[in-house]
Structures are given as C-alpha cells and as structure tokens.
Amino acid sequence: MDIDTAGSPIPHSSHWGAFSVVREGDGVRILPHPRDPDPAVMLGNLPAALTARARIAMPMVRRGYLERGPGPDRQRGREDFVPVSWHEALGLAAGELQRVYAHHGGKAVFGGSYGWSSAGRFHHAQSQVHRFLNALGGYVKSVNTYSSAAAAVILPHVIGSQESAGRENVSWHELATQTEMVLAFGGLPLKNTSVSSGGTSQHIARDHLAAAYKRGTKFHLISPIQDDLPLNIEPVWHPIRPGTDVALMLGIAHTLVAEDLHDIAFLERYCVGYPAFEAYLTGRSDGQPKTAAWAAAICQVPVETIQVIARQAAGRRTLITCAQSLQRAEHGEQPVWMGVVLAAMLGQIGLPGGGFVYAMGSLSNVGKPALAVPLPTLPQGQNRVPDLIPVARIADLLLNPGQEYDFNGRRLTYPDIRLVYWAGGNPFHHHQDINRLREAFARPDTIVVHDSAWTATARHADIVFPATVTMERADMGASANDPLLVAMHPVAAPFGQARDDYAIFADLAERLGVGPAFTEGRDAEAWLRHLYEPTRAALLKRGDDAPDFDTFWARGELTLPTLPWDGGVVRAFRNDPDQRKLPTPTGMVEVASATIASYGYDDCPGHPVWLPPAEGVGSPIMREYPLHLISNQPATRLHSQLDFGAASLASKIQGREPVRIHPTDAAARDIANGDIVRLFNHRGACLAGAVVSKAVRPGVVQLATGAWYDPIDPTADSPLCVHGNPNVLTRDAGTSRLAQACTGQLTVVEVERYRGPLPPIRAFDPPDQ
C-alpha cells in the first residue's frame, strides 16, 4: 500500500500504544492516541527506528560461512560480514534449508521467534516464520514465554489457565470500586502496564489505582523495590528479601490458622488437598511450623507486621496479586501456587475485586474486558514435527542433543538441531548466561536471522536478511483485550534494501517449491483484506458497525465491541461449584495436587513449599557475591527493542544502563552517584552507571534488562559487556523440572567502582565488513 504523503497524521500502532505520525522534513513526530489518558514514554523511541545507524541495509553473510560453508563454528559473533545480493542470500538460505530438510527432516530445524517485533496482525514475525517452516514440513518449536512460563504450567494444575487467573478474573474496575485491601507481591509497576501484546489504545492502570486509593483501598507493596507501586497511592512498603515471598505467604497463612481466621467452609467446599498442606504449614509433616517468626527470619519482614497483615486481610475484600517477576526465579512455580492458596484460605477466590489475580500490573490489557468478535489472525498451518522445548531451554537444546529432560510430567529428549531460523526477537536479550548462549549458537550448521537492526542475535548469524520495521509497512494492529482495531498505514519507505518478512518468506517458499502453500496466491495487501473479513462478518452478525476494508482503512481505526465483564470461569465456579467446575484435574482449587505429587519432583512437590535457592538467601555463594541483582523490565523500552531510541538513551549514564544501589551498599564500596561500576560474578561481568537510591532495599542492586549486548572483545570467551546487559550475569537454569521456566529475574553479584579508561559503546554500530 502507498505511503501517505498528504501531511495529515498517519495512524499506526505499537505494543506500547496506538499513535499517529506526522512527517516533518526528513523525520517524524509521534502523537499518542487522543483517547489514551497515560501514553507510554517509550513512544519516544519510535522515530529512531526509521534511520538509526544500527539498521541493516542489505543482505549480509558471515565471511567464514561464505568461505567454509555450513557447520558448527565458534567464529559466530566474532568475525565480519560480507554484503551480498538478495539473489545470492536467498539462494544460500534456500539451498541450506533444502539440504537440512532432505537429510535430517524438520526435527533438525528450530523455528525461533518471540512475537514482539510488531503489533500488526499480519506482519507478525512469529506467525510468518512458523507458517513458512510448516509449509516445508514442520520444525521444533518452543512453548510458553520467558515472561510467564512457570505460571503457564502451574496455574492449570491449580486453578485454571493464565487467562482464567489473569485476564478474566479481576478487572481494574472491580479493583477501583470494590477491593478493600491489596497484597501486591512484586507490586503493580506502572512501567510494565505501558505494554501489551498487540497494543493498547488506553493505559488505564494509573487512574484506576488512584480511584481505588481515593475510595480507601489499602495497598501493601511486597517488593525489594519501592516504586513497584506508585508513591501517590501511599502503599505500605515491605522491603522483602528477594525470592522469599513464599516464606512470607506461609507466615501469613500460619497466622490465619493459629488465630482461626481462615475460611474453613470455603476450603472444604471449593478446594482439594488442604489437610495435606495444613500438615506442612503447621509442621506436623516435617517438624517445622511455618510461623510468622520462622518467616520473618527468612524474608526480614518483622513478625508483628506479618501478623498484622494476616489479621487485616481476613474478613474484608482482599486481593492478592502476583507479578510475573516472582515466577521468573528458581522455584518460580511456588509463589504463584502459594498466592492462590492464600487467597483460598481467606475465602476470597471468585469474589469481585477479591481473591487472586495473576499478572495484573504486568501488562496493560490484563483486567480489561475481552472482545466480542475475533481478531484478524494469520493461520500458521500444521506443524508435523511433535518435538518441542520449553522456551528458556534453547541453550540446553543446542548444546545437548539426545539428552533427556523432565517437563510437566513428561520425559522428553532434545533433538539434534542443524539449522536455526530466527525472525522477530532477540535471544541475546531474553536468554540467561549469554556466554553459555554464545557457546550454544556455535553448534548448529547454519543460523538464519531476519532483523531490522544489528542486534547481538544478527551478529551471531550466518545469513542475515534486512527486515522492515513496522512503520515501513501496512498492517492491522489489535489486542484481544483492547477495543481498537488500528489501520497501520506505512509511514516511510523501507530502509536500504530491507524487505517485509512475508516477502522474504514468499521468495524462499517459491524457490523451495511451496510457494502456493505459503502465499495462497495473495500478496500482503490481499492478505490484509482477507484477514479483515472474519472480523467484519462477526460485526455484521451482531448488527454492529461493519465497514468494508477500504472504508476501515480510510478511517484509520474501528472500535470493536467488548463482552460484559463476568469474572470468567473462576467467578462462575464460585457461584456454582457443582455445575461450573474449574478446568483443573479435579475441577476444584487444588491446594495440593495429586497430579504434581505423582511426578516425584523434589524441586516442585505436591503442594506449595518453601525451597531455599541455590543462589540467593542462605546460599553459600553469597559469601563471595553478597548482593542480590534484580534484572527487571525497563521503563524506557520494550525488552531490548529500540534501545537506540531517544527515550532509552535518555535514561543511560555515560551511555550505559543505569543500576540502582542503596546508599549503604554504595558507601561501603566507595561508589558515588553517576560512577561507572562493574557488576560481576562467576559467570561474567558488565559495566553500568550507578544511581544511588533508597528506593531499593540494602543488599539489592537493580539493573533492567534490554541493554544491547556489547562485548569489549567479541573474540574472547567471557568478555566484559561494556553497555550493561544483565544476562551476562544471570543463571541459565529452569525454575524446576515441572515448568523448566526462565530464572532470569534474580541472581547474585558483587559491584565495584570501575577505575580504568572507559571503553567505547559500539552496540549500535554495524559490524565490520
């Protein structure tokens, strides 16, 4: 579709909000959607996407791959690239795909993507790459997400899906109008509510929190970081030691039992397994009562405070929220499960504004009504390869072909991957222990990457295809819990020789003899028109406004109907537990799970327990690395996207990612505000800019994820990252044998003032040619 040059605002959308674009000379200005009461600051990153020095201008091939051909190669990420024509690059990729599928089959191909590269429903890189690989015969897939994989596995055993316990359970409106007390484990950080997959037209969290506060809701923030709830709602801050939320929950639960405040009638009517859990809680099964005093010694929340929280939570409309951050740590299944159990003991599950909600405050559209009509969705086809991995086990997959592992009651085997095809996403942001990931990326025969910019993932590829960014193509933006369908008009011509992912795959598919199966005879515009029709048909059936595609495109947006909020399956179960059972093995809330107990996992037994971490509170390694590092989500970008944008760059200190450190810890290390510091442990080291702040508890440093990996010497095995990527420090291990999920939120480090000459930042410079 043509670029709009009329001079009026051009509609578009992103995962962090709908917006429009005004062209100004060679640049653009971003205007938030007029209905958005609290636009995301990261909209300020978008103008840089069109012309950044980091953009990839033409197809590139690693020099060693051109000279030596396919095969394992430790030179990935260490040597220069050679520009080639599209014809040559496509020929190389097609030839290698043909070889691998012919000799090894689809189980030797890993299809990597993470779905965040665009809010568009058609140019959705994850759907595109999976559709392409399915046309070739299938691929090894990953399941779940780095953000929420532990919860995605544990919740269906206990109360229902993530949707049931999150998006459909308690609404922001209910919190604002009915909740009396919030126990926010991990907080409700407004920075995280800036983002939601598919975008949002209205950021409502700030206003609803303020409304609840004005009505008299009491907020308790349980987090090592003070600004995980906005200060203007005056939350009571309990600066807990990182990773000890389960111990605190158990101490609250024990107080409820000791003072006869738990709802026995609810536990008997709606739950299974409570007697076994109570035996553990009171110490009858293991000799250790989980008293408030026991909990206080672990989490360093005072005994009296734990007891007061329990007493105040009982007998009123109490909401227990569990942030995604809590389950991105060793034994991450436990705080989610224990949060459900605590809400059950209070008898609150299923009540409007009460009970348990997962991930509220972690994404913008959690707690909003669902749409009443289907969204445009590109079909991915059928994957004929059954092999899969939990998403955070990518390095294990590449390094350990043939090795068996446990996952959610199954015994699986890592296949032998010869070709990795990655489009949309940056594992050198998402994944832990980057030095180990570099070793893993050296193992396959070939790595093909589509990217718009020279991320570390592109630098570790063999064949790099330059992809367009969202403002260079036409699409439709929408989310299942936001009522606006946005006509995403193109704003600018593609950078250099960049092409849409769809165009790249269509060309490859034609070369490989599966062109008709992939394209179905449609170009990109024809696909947009085709995908719009099911939504329009549903609107027509309801009697709602249902313009044809051309009218919708000219308008720039369409408001879609939403369903009435009903609290989903959890509310229905509360109202009628006999006829509306939960989607759990027993149909009840599973305080203890016979299914999980049958797996025999010592790192995830049959009911919630406190399990000391291998790295963290009480672990011997903290004698050498005495500080907890929290690597949480950034406030100025989505993951690592557009780290070179204005909003992201404005937060940096001497070009490096900021790290917050408590004044006591800074003074002990002769660190002043604005100093460049070195964070290190036994896995790696990085530089960051110090922010001395009382907003983190003593013994904690906080360094957000997303700074582009920038090794001082790419040829070294464990180089210093000079830019501040915390994943050179984090541990690459699963949460447990149940979920095998990401544990990147917490690790242990030491910090020192950096005293040498400051190395330059080269993260955004193209590699040598």
Side-chain angles (χ1 to χ4, degrees):
M1 292 180 172
D2 294 335
I3 299 168
D4 191 336
T5 58
S8 56
I10 304 168
H12 212 79
S13 192
S14 70
H15 293 297
W16 47 96
F19 62 95
S20 57
V21 181
V22 176
R23 299 185 61 85
E24 295 182 336
D26 293 333
V28 297
R29 181 162 52 94
I30 305 298
L31 303 176
H33 195 278
R35 289 199 323 213
D36 194 343
D38 191 21
V41 65
M42 58 188 75
L43 286 172
N45 289 326
L46 286 165
L50 296 173
T51 58
R53 175 172 166 76
R55 287 293 302 270
I56 303 172
M58 62 191 74
M60 304 286 276
V61 179
R62 185 172 58 84
R63 184 176 299 277
Y65 191 82
L66 280 176
E67 295 174 351
R68 299 183 293 275
D73 198 336
R74 288 180 54 82
Q75 292 305 304
R76 291 192 182 107
R78 292 170 164 86
E79 64 181 7
D80 61 340
F81 282 79
V82 177
V84 298
S85 68
W86 271 104
H87 178 77
E88 183 175 1
L90 289 165
L92 281 171
E96 181 61 356
L97 283 161
Q98 189 172 48
R99 180 188 75 85
V100 172
Y101 273 98
H103 290 89
H104 306 287
K107 68 182 304 177
V109 176
F110 180 76
S113 182
Y114 206 56
W116 285 101
S117 65
S118 170
R121 302 295 298 177
F122 173 65
H123 292 292
H124 179 250
Q126 187 178 75
S127 297
Q128 292 282 349
V129 68
H130 291 171
R131 179 180 174 86
F132 170 68
L133 295 176
N134 283 336
L136 294 177
Y139 63 98
V140 176
K141 68 178 181 179
S142 64
V143 295
N144 301 324
T145 68
Y146 280 89
S147 298
S148 198
V153 174
I154 191 68
L155 283 170
H157 287 286
V158 176
I159 194 170
S161 68
Q162 279 186 245
E163 296 293 311
S164 302
R167 292 181 188 272
E168 302 172 356
N169 186 16
V170 177
S171 71
W172 281 106
H173 176 73
E174 288 176 346
L175 186 152
T177 59
Q178 299 192 56
T179 306
E180 296 175 285
M181 180 175 176
V182 176
L183 298 182
F185 288 91
L188 300 164
L190 287 176
K191 63 180 177 61
N192 292 0
T193 66
S194 295
V195 171
S196 212
S197 179
T200 185
S201 60
Q202 297 182 65
H203 294 87
I204 66 172
R206 188 187 304 273
D207 288 349
H208 281 73
L209 289 171
Y213 167 71
K214 184 177 180 180
R215 187 179 51 81
T217 303
K218 190 73 170 179
F219 291 89
H220 289 262
L221 170 61
I222 298 140
S223 170
I225 300 175
Q226 187 179 21
D227 50 16
D228 275 340
L229 266 176
L231 299 181
N232 68 322
I233 63 172
E234 298 184 347
V236 180
W237 182 31
H238 307 287
I240 191 172
R241 294 169 87 185
T244 63
D245 301 82
V246 171
L248 175 57
M249 292 180 190
L250 287 166
I252 295 171
H254 189 279
T255 301
L256 293 175
V257 172
E259 300 187 11
D260 198 25
L261 297 173
H262 58 314
D263 192 330
I264 296 174
F266 182 89
L267 291 166
E268 291 179 346
R269 182 72 180 89
Y270 293 91
C271 304
V272 295
Y274 177 72
F277 171 75
E278 187 181 272
Y280 167 76
L281 181 68
T282 58
R284 295 196 306 273
S285 63
D286 67 351
Q288 175 59 68
K290 313 310 178 295
T291 63
W294 169 87
I298 296 171
C299 66
Q300 293 187 349
V301 175
V303 174
E304 298 78 9
T305 299
I306 297 173
Q307 293 169 335
V308 168
I309 290 173
R311 293 166 189 151
Q312 291 181 351
R316 67 176 68 187
R317 191 59 56 90
T318 299
L319 179 63
I320 294 168
T321 70
C322 181
Q324 289 183 341
S325 58
L326 297 190
Q327 50 87 68
R328 285 199 304 270
E330 189 176 4
H331 310 129
E333 299 86 353
Q334 300 303 313
V336 179
W337 195 353
M338 187 60 215
V340 175
V341 171
L342 189 55
M345 293 179 69
L346 292 168
Q348 297 281 305
I349 287 177
L351 293 176
F356 173 84
V357 64
Y358 173 71
M360 183 173 247
S362 296
L363 292 166
S364 176
N365 291 337
V366 171
K368 292 182 179 180
L371 294 180
V373 295
L375 288 176
T377 302
L378 178 68
Q380 297 184 16
Q382 182 179 358
N383 188 353
R384 285 168 278 171
V385 175
D387 299 77
L388 59 85
I389 63 163
V391 67
R393 302 274 56 82
I394 177 64
D396 288 348
L397 165 72
L398 298 179
L399 289 169
N400 303 302
Q403 179 177 297
E404 293 185 343
Y405 67 100
D406 292 305
F407 175 55
N408 199 15
R410 302 168 64 186
R411 190 74 173 165
L412 303 176
T413 302
Y414 291 123
D416 187 0
I417 298 299
R418 301 302 182 96
L419 186 147
V420 173
Y421 205 122
W422 213 289
N426 179 11
F428 282 81
H429 154 69
H430 287 293
H431 199 70
Q432 287 61 60
D433 194 350
I434 283 177
N435 289 319
R436 185 170 186 260
L437 184 64
R438 294 176 81 206
E439 294 178 17
F441 263 56
R443 192 194 167 276
D445 289 350
T446 298
I447 298 177
V448 183
V449 168
H450 296 199
D451 214 327
S452 62
W454 282 109
T455 63
T457 303
R459 295 172 193 266
H460 284 78
D462 299 312
I463 301 169
V464 180
F465 291 121
T468 54
V469 297
T470 176
M471 289 191 292
E472 295 166 348
R473 58 196 181 220
D475 211 333
M476 295 178 286
S479 171
N481 291 78
D482 188 87
L484 199 67
L485 179 64
V486 180
M488 299 168 61
H489 290 222
V491 173
F495 180 87
Q497 298 179 30
R499 296 183 182 178
D500 299 344
D501 293 311
Y502 178 70
I504 300 169
F505 286 130
D507 197 324
L508 285 171
E510 194 65 34
R511 289 168 182 258
L512 292 165
V514 294
F518 179 74
T519 67
E520 298 183 19
R522 299 185 184 97
D523 62 11
E525 180 177 346
W527 269 110
L528 291 178
R529 293 177 178 276
H530 175 73
L531 297 179
Y532 176 75
E533 282 308 307
T535 303
R536 181 170 181 261
L539 291 169
L540 284 170
K541 186 175 181 180
R542 287 174 49 91
D544 293 322
D545 181 27
D548 61 25
F549 181 83
D550 290 322
T551 303
F552 156 67
W553 196 256
R555 286 185 192 176
E557 63 182 47
L558 176 63
T559 299
L560 302 177
T562 58
L563 296 171
W565 187 272
D566 62 5
V569 299
V570 176
R571 184 79 44 82
F573 170 68
R574 172 85 190 209
N575 294 335
D576 188 354
D578 295 320
Q579 298 300 317
R580 303 295 299 274
K581 292 185 179 296
L582 291 174
T584 62
T586 61
M588 310 280 277
V589 176
E590 301 215 3
V591 174
S593 166
T595 301
I596 293 177
S598 72
Y599 299 157
Y601 298 156
D602 57 358
D603 53 4
C604 189
H607 57 70
V609 295
W610 163 249
L611 295 167
E615 295 186 6
V617 170
S619 63
I621 200 170
M622 291 204 75
R623 289 193 288 268
E624 187 173 0
Y625 305 110
L627 299 175
H628 285 95
L629 170 63
I630 296 176
S631 56
N632 58 357
Q633 293 299 322
T636 58
R637 59 183 175 266
L638 168 58
H639 300 149
S640 64
Q641 279 193 45
L642 305 181
D643 190 24
F644 48 73
S648 185
L649 292 178
S651 71
K652 298 183 186 285
I653 296 173
Q654 298 187 59
R656 288 152 234 276
E657 196 66 16
V659 58
R660 291 196 286 184
I661 183 170
H662 191 273
T664 301
D665 299 317
R669 293 163 175 80
D670 192 28
I671 293 170
N673 205 53
D675 283 347
I676 301 302
V677 298
R678 175 177 172 262
L679 294 83
F680 62 97
N681 62 18
H682 52 300
R683 281 182 287 271
C686 68
L687 301 184
V691 177
V692 180
S693 172
K694 291 183 179 180
V696 294
R697 68 161 278 149
V700 168
V701 292
Q702 177 260 318
L703 175 65
T705 63
W708 283 19
Y709 177 58
D710 192 1
I712 191 170
D713 179 6
T715 65
D717 288 337
S718 184
L720 173 74
C721 174
V722 304
H723 192 206
N725 187 317
N727 278 329
V728 299
L729 304 161
T730 51
R731 181 170 175 249
D732 184 11
T735 51
S736 78
R737 287 185 286 165
L738 184 79
Q740 295 283 5
C742 161
T743 58
Q745 182 79 9
L746 301 177
T747 193
V748 293
V749 298
E750 181 56 284
V751 178
E752 64 184 10
R753 185 151 64 96
Y754 187 73
R755 300 181 186 275
L758 282 180
I761 305 294
R762 297 176 296 186
F764 309 131
D765 295 341
D768 293 336
Q769 297 182 20

